[in-house]
Amino acid sequence: MAEALVRFEGVRKAYGPKGAGYAVKQLDLAVQRGELLTLLGPSGSGKTTTLMMLAGFEQPSEGRILLEDRDIARLPPHKRGIGVVFQSYALFPHMSVAENVAFPLEVRGIPKADRAARVARALSMVRLEGFGERRPSQLSGGQQQRVALARAMVFEPPIVLLDEPLGALDKSLREEMQYEIRALHQRLGLTMMYVTHDQAEALTLSDRIAVFEGGLVRQLATPRRIYEAPANGFVAGFVGENNRLPGRVIESDGPMVRVALDCGPVVEARIVDTGGAGSRCFVAIRPERVAVAPVRADDLGEGALAARLTEAIFQGDHLRLRLSLGEGGELLAKRTVGGGPVPEIGAIAAVAWDANQALAFSA
Ligand code: ADP
Ligand code: MG
């Protein structure tokens, strides 16, 4: 069992009068030493509030936060020794890169003689050796964010908090920086708490992901578990693409349930959190798990459903197939290019999936 560096215990946060609601409703969360934990969720779900409480810029309304087993409620931000990188937490434009990075050391009273070596080390960590004399305005957006990272790490904090640090960068630079942050985290064994609303970014970077919705953590697990075994319908819909087929429970049998889809067909799925017979639910199936084949001589094949192919979009490494299923049902399938014959647009196709890959959630 890894050691917890940070613990949120029964933390709640209301900005205004509590009757007006909580930005964070209930938070019990441990950050393990050395991990990169991502808070992933839609806008307004409480991610930044959580980070701000740990950094000390906001106070919990209830509960406590422990850093290395110490309650930090009374510590002001600069005494918590936590590094922060915020999208809006810009560099000081009138200072050189080296002065920016040295700033936290100065604030902490580190003697001038020691600063230069530490600044040089932090700049080399983010591959910016030789950039110390430049002004932030002479750097690209990606380089500026690397300076911000160096500034957050220069005093060797036990944990670095990053709030949508790549939000202002364009897509290719953002992806490059994701790999860079991941490499830095692994090379230095840094503990990081990373906030994003971008699920692809969360999957790329994280050791674990906490999926936030409405001020609550809906699931905390590895990227793989979050993607392959979402704990509820919210997570299934928020992380990765998923088909969502609404219907009604017919009967359950052990871990499986039979569902009458609103669009007509009856399918089998693995139960996640469905209710009893007659209750509303939906079946989630990933597009890459849906097999699509042309129908030969009116024979759909065992267990397959008939669907009409309405669109096929070439995406380079895969095809996106859009199908209509029964009465008003829509199904998206992804298949690798060169993976066998594709039905004609407008033709009836046989669609099938492994029932174990179909998950049933209450609706
Ligand atoms: P996220 O970072 O997930 O987008 P936030 O933590 O910023 O979410 O916000 C959570 C909720 O708290 C939102 O409803 C937001 O409007 C509210 N909120 C955030 N900051 C403040 C604030 N300083 N004063 C009042 N309400 C706030
Ligand atoms: Mg935010």
Side-chain angles (χ1 to χ4, degrees), residues 51 238 252:
L51 227 55
F238 192 73
S252 55

Side-chain angles (χ1 to χ4, degrees), residues 251-309:
E251 57 179 358
S252 55
D253 178 12
M256 306 302 284
V257 63
R258 273 157 56 78
V259 176
L261 298 180
D262 293 348
C263 62
V266 170
V267 298
E268 236 195 316
R270 181 171 287 279
I271 297 171
V272 181
D273 62 2
T274 47
S279 59
R280 295 291 303 164
C281 67
F282 70 90
V283 173
I285 178 81
R286 298 278 183 201
E288 67 270 25
R289 298 288 185 180
V290 177
V292 180
V295 173
R296 288 201 187 80
D298 282 346
D299 180 15
L300 280 175
E302 168 124 14
L305 303 172
R308 190 177 298 279
L309 184 65

Side-chain angles (χ1 to χ4, degrees), residues 91-158:
L91 301 174
F92 305 116
H94 59 289
M95 290 186 190
S96 70
V97 165
E99 286 165 346
N100 265 282
V101 176
F103 186 73
L105 301 176
E106 213 177 313
V107 172
R108 284 170 176 77
I110 307 285
K112 195 161 188 180
D114 297 340
R115 284 184 221 153
R118 292 177 71 165
V119 167
R121 198 160 63 224
L123 284 176
S124 91
M125 278 181 208
V126 296
R127 302 191 295 122
L128 285 176
E129 299 99 332
F131 284 75
E133 295 314 308
R134 296 217 195 165
R135 297 274 155 161
S137 60
Q138 293 171 300
L139 302 180
S140 70
Q143 288 170 331
Q144 290 185 29
Q145 266 314 15
R146 285 181 5 223
V147 176
L149 255 174
R151 189 174 60 179
M153 297 185 313
V154 70
F155 55 93
E156 293 168 19

Side-chain angles (χ1 to χ4, degrees), residues 47-48 163-164 195:
K47 309 179 298 293
T48 294
D163 192 348
E164 314 247 4
V195 162

Side-chain angles (χ1 to χ4, degrees), residues 341-357:
V342 176
E344 305 267 312
I345 303 291
I348 295 295
V351 298
W353 56 78
D354 175 353
N356 282 300
Q357 299 293 343

